[in-house]
């Protein structure tokens, strides 16, 4: 199976790294990009590189659209005559399958996906949506490719990708923001920057591992087990509840979901 990435930016290189780590030969991967700097980074991975999109497509079995949303239309129009029955996987945020089918041809085999930035360390989570033309073998191929950078889930309705974007696509930034806020609070209490960073990061990692390994317990149950009546944790949790942290997250994620819908309308 030969895979061509149209666009050799961060997400493309993350997926390429995952594929190489899973044993795919570099000779079966091509990265195409008009920018020499991006190609230089791809060359370091040992894969084939080119600035000719049509040539790259012609020698591929699977085409990954990994360019910025604002250039997808021009790229799709450029390669439309070369796609044929090849599987096309788009990681372009906000570009609907209807738009892709309009630009590439309504008989094309298209899968949309929404990975997130931890894909760069093979710990991502990707939401995938298959258009009606996609068969089981093509679903398995897409799962193999995106599974190289972490877990993945399929959604039955394309509109669910907006929620996937709001929760996991944007989600790493929410956790980074919480880590940032906790570090600042720790420093305000007199801890050094290094100690604050160590305490917060290890606490975040440990709590996440507990939530994963003790899957029979809900996050609420785990939280209550840590929260002794009249103790320090209860004092902190009460402050967070008084500030409506849960409501704030609800509104923040709803805002991200609404913006994803808005951007899809802008690019359709």
């Amino acid at each position: 199976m030969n895979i061509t990435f149209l666009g050799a930016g961060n997400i493309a290189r993350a997926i390429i790294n995952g594929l190489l780590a899973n044993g795919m030969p570099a000779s079966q991967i091509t990265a195409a990009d008009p920018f020499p700097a991006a190609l230089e980074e791809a060359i370091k991975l040992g894969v084939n590189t080119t600035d000719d999109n049509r040539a790259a497509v012609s020698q591929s079995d699977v085409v990954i659209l990994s360019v910025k949303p604002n250039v997808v239309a021009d790229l799709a129009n450029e390669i439309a005559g070369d796609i044929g029955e090849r599987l096309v996987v788009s990681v372009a945020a906000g570009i609907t399958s209807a738009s892709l089918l309009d630009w590439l041809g309504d008989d094309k085999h298209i899968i949309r996906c929404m990975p997130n930035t931890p894909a760069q360390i093979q710990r991502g989570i990707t939401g995938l949506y298959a258009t009606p033309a996609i068969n089981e073998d093509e679903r398995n191929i897409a799962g193999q490719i995106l599974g190289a950078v972490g877990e993945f889930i399929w959604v039955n309705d394309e509109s669910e990708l907006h929620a996937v974007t709001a929760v996991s696509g944007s989600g790493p930034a929410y956790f980074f923001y919480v880590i940032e806020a906790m570090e600042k609070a720790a420093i305000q209490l007199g801890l050094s920057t290094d100690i604050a960073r160590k305490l917060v990061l290890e606490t975040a990692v440990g709590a996440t591992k507990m939530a994963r390994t003790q899957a029979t317990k809900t996050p609420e149950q785990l939280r209550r087990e840590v929260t002794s009546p009249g103790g320090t944790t209860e004092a902190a949790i009460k402050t967070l509840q008084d500030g409506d942290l849960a409501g704030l997250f609800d509104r923040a994620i709803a805002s991200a979901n609404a913006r994803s819908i808005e951007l899809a309308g802008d690019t359709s």
Side-chain angles (χ1 to χ4, degrees), residues 161-195:
L161 286 180
H162 296 303
V164 171
T165 299
V167 174
S168 62
S170 299
Y174 312 154
F175 286 96
F176 296 147
Y177 196 23
V178 170
I179 290 170
E180 177 187 355
M182 288 182 65
E183 281 187 11
K184 288 180 178 178
I187 292 168
Q188 286 293 322
L189 293 175
L191 295 175
S192 70
T193 300
D194 289 344
I195 290 176

Side-chain angles (χ1 to χ4, degrees), residues 210 214 217 219-228:
M210 282 188 68
Q214 300 186 30
K217 296 180 180 180
E220 180 182 3
Q221 288 174 312
L222 291 170
R223 171 176 60 80
R224 291 186 180 281
E225 288 178 2
V226 183
T227 310
S228 302

Side-chain angles (χ1 to χ4, degrees), residues 31-211:
D33 201 291
F35 297 105
L39 291 182
E40 286 174 10
E41 292 300 316
I43 288 171
K44 294 176 184 177
L45 303 178
V47 301
N48 306 305
T49 60
T50 181
D51 60 2
D52 188 331
N53 292 321
R54 295 187 63 187
V57 168
S58 69
Q59 55 189 296
S60 67
D61 300 303
V62 181
V63 176
I64 314 291
L65 300 181
S66 50
V67 295
K68 294 186 182 300
N70 63 323
V71 300
V72 173
D74 288 342
L75 174 61
N77 287 321
E78 178 188 352
I79 64 172
D82 304 295
I83 288 296
E85 295 186 357
R86 292 175 176 84
L87 174 61
V88 177
V89 179
S90 173
V91 300
I95 303 297
T96 66
S97 62
S99 292
L100 292 169
L101 290 167
D102 183 49
W103 298 326
L104 291 172
D106 58 15
D107 60 340
K108 296 301 181 278
H109 294 227
I110 294 171
I111 289 175
R112 281 190 63 200
C113 65
M114 173 49 63
N116 63 2
T117 54
Q120 295 177 25
I121 58 168
Q122 286 79 60
R123 293 305 301 265
I125 177 72
T126 301
L128 296 124
Y129 168 74
T131 52
I134 295 299
N135 59 44
E136 194 62 29
D137 286 342
E138 290 170 325
R139 288 172 71 99
N140 290 337
I141 289 170
Q144 177 185 345
I145 293 170
L146 276 305
V149 292
E151 300 291 328
F152 62 90
I153 54 98
W154 289 93
V155 298
N156 294 322
D157 190 322
E158 185 172 7
S159 65
E160 292 179 78
L161 286 180
H162 296 303
V164 171
T165 299
V167 174
S168 62
S170 299
Y174 312 154
F175 286 96
F176 296 147
Y177 196 23
V178 170
I179 290 170
E180 177 187 355
M182 288 182 65
E183 281 187 11
K184 288 180 178 178
I187 292 168
Q188 286 293 322
L189 293 175
L191 295 175
S192 70
T193 300
D194 289 344
I195 290 176
R197 171 66 58 87
K198 180 78 170 177
L199 287 172
V200 174
L201 287 182
E202 292 306 315
T203 299
V205 170
T208 300
K209 287 186 175 180
M210 282 188 68

Side-chain angles (χ1 to χ4, degrees), residues 166 170 174 248-262:
S170 299
Y174 312 154
L248 187 59
F249 264 101
D250 183 54
R251 295 190 295 277
I253 292 174
S255 294
N257 184 74
R259 182 57 178 156
S260 178
I261 293 171
E262 183 180 24

